Amino acid sequence: MTIPTINKNIQDYKNQLLTHSLYEKVKTIEDLHCFLENHIYAVWDFMSLLKALQNKLTCTTTPWLPVGNPEVRYLINEIVVAEETDLALDGSRQSHFEMYQDAMQQCGANTEEINAFLENVKATQNIFVSIKQSNLHPNVKEFLEFTFRVIEEGKSHEIAAAFTFGREDLIPSMFTEILKNFQVNFPETDLSKLIYYFERHIELDADEHGPMAMQMISELCGTNETKWKEVEEVSMRALEKRIGLWDAIKEQITQKELELI
């Protein structure tokens, strides 16, 4: 199996995401807030996938030892540098999660819930307990549970699959669609940090991180057909969970519309 084969086999899932009716639902600043307040969990757990890969593919303990394939080490470390310490709009260094939080605050979205969730994660020391205790939509809980099950139980190539096909490979096209709606629907709202965040992802993921992540998959799987099959299965499930996340956000926006009638 190869990258093009997997892309062909998961294309239906990708099409469902790229043509999802959620994008047309984001019409007011309240709708945008609802989107951001749910999507922030995907921004956060992506960072966890990233660090899980770094932990598995490089040496992150002492004494240092040369772990694994140097090419793979290079690929994941390069992605970590940008995702964890990228240049923000004002020229300071921030992780993409912190960038997203700042963008939320700039446009008036609520960041208290995600902060409370992270405090609970620290307190419980068990991500699955924190997810269960949260008041998140069931689909958002499923999305997070899937991510952390892959991290906990998955092999390196499976975590890379959730990271690559479930996230990095989709972000440029998906965020471009969202950006179009933002620019049309919210001309009076200062979305400079949010637009910067999306445009930065489009630039990084299309030109650098996407190809790097694909190369990482190829290096990890090599000629092992079992690994390639597992990559395909995890990729499909990751995309299903992302569709579920989009469904949940659409449902919440629709519910708020009905409450206003």
Side-chain angles (χ1 to χ4, degrees):
M1 198 178 292
T2 61
I3 295 288
T5 305
I6 290 179
N7 272 324
K8 181 182 177 183
N9 293 345
I10 64 175
Q11 192 60 48
D12 285 348
Y13 295 98
K14 291 167 76 172
N15 288 342
Q16 285 183 61
L17 279 169
L18 294 174
T19 60
H20 201 287
S21 53
L22 167 64
Y23 307 126
E24 297 172 359
K25 274 284 182 186
V26 184
K27 295 176 181 175
T28 68
I29 195 65
E30 290 77 21
D31 297 340
L32 176 59
H33 289 169
C34 184
F35 174 84
L36 298 175
E37 289 161 15
N38 283 277
H39 183 240
I40 185 68
Y41 292 91
V43 176
W44 172 70
D45 81 339
F46 174 79
M47 299 299 295
S48 296
L49 282 168
L50 176 69
K51 298 306 284 187
L53 279 172
Q54 189 181 36
N55 286 337
K56 279 188 173 287
L57 302 175
T58 74
C59 183
T60 56
T61 58
T62 56
W64 180 87
L65 294 168
V67 171
N69 181 333
E71 186 66 28
V72 172
R73 291 201 302 261
Y74 165 76
L75 293 168
I76 192 61
N77 281 333
E78 278 292 299
I79 296 172
V80 167
V81 168
E83 294 288 344
E84 207 167 31
T85 55
D86 201 8
L87 279 175
L89 184 60
D90 65 1
S92 64
R93 291 282 176 186
Q94 282 186 314
S95 69
H96 284 184
F97 172 77
E98 291 162 315
M99 233 184 257
Y100 198 92
Q101 277 196 311
D102 276 1
M104 288 175 69
Q105 290 169 343
Q106 183 188 51
C107 70
N110 184 352
T111 57
E112 290 178 11
E113 289 188 10
I114 179 66
N115 288 333
F117 177 80
L118 296 186
E119 285 302 317
N120 187 261
V121 170
K122 290 179 193 173
T124 64
Q125 295 290 299
N126 187 316
I127 183 60
F128 300 105
V129 170
S130 293
I131 294 168
K132 188 175 182 180
Q133 289 178 352
S134 74
N135 295 319
L136 295 169
H137 187 287
N139 287 19
V140 182
K141 288 186 177 185
E142 280 190 30
F143 181 87
L144 290 171
E145 283 172 358
F146 170 76
T147 295
F148 286 96
R149 287 293 172 202
V150 170
I151 287 172
E152 187 175 84
E153 302 168 5
K155 304 152 193 168
S156 297
H157 59 280
E158 291 175 322
I159 299 172
F163 178 88
T164 304
F165 293 102
R167 308 297 183 96
E168 292 290 80
D169 186 39
L170 273 174
I171 284 170
S173 301
M174 213 161 48
F175 281 7
T176 301
E177 289 303 309
I178 298 170
L179 259 183
K180 288 176 186 173
N181 287 333
F182 287 170
Q183 291 170 329
V184 170
N185 294 323
F186 313 119
E188 305 300 320
T189 306
D190 187 358
L191 296 172
S192 56
K193 288 184 177 180
L194 192 60
I195 289 171
Y196 176 82
Y197 171 87
F198 285 142
E199 288 182 338
R200 185 69 181 135
H201 258 282
I202 290 166
E203 176 189 353
L204 273 178
D205 295 333
D207 296 340
E208 297 176 34
H209 292 183
M212 280 181 168
M214 293 296 182
Q215 187 182 344
M216 182 166 58
I217 292 273
S218 295
E219 294 279 354
L220 289 171
C221 291
T223 58
N224 188 316
E225 281 302 312
T226 300
K227 287 184 178 180
W228 280 108
K229 191 63 183 172
E230 288 169 345
V231 162
E232 182 180 67
E233 288 169 1
V234 170
S235 300
M236 286 180 176
R237 290 186 62 209
L239 292 171
E240 284 175 350
K241 299 303 178 187
R242 170 71 80 161
I243 293 166
L245 174 64
W246 263 208
D247 290 343
I249 301 173
K250 180 189 172 185
E251 181 186 315
Q252 290 174 65
I253 291 174
T254 303
Q255 185 59 41
K256 288 181 180 181
E257 288 173 353
L258 293 174
E259 289 170 2
L260 293 172
I261 294 174

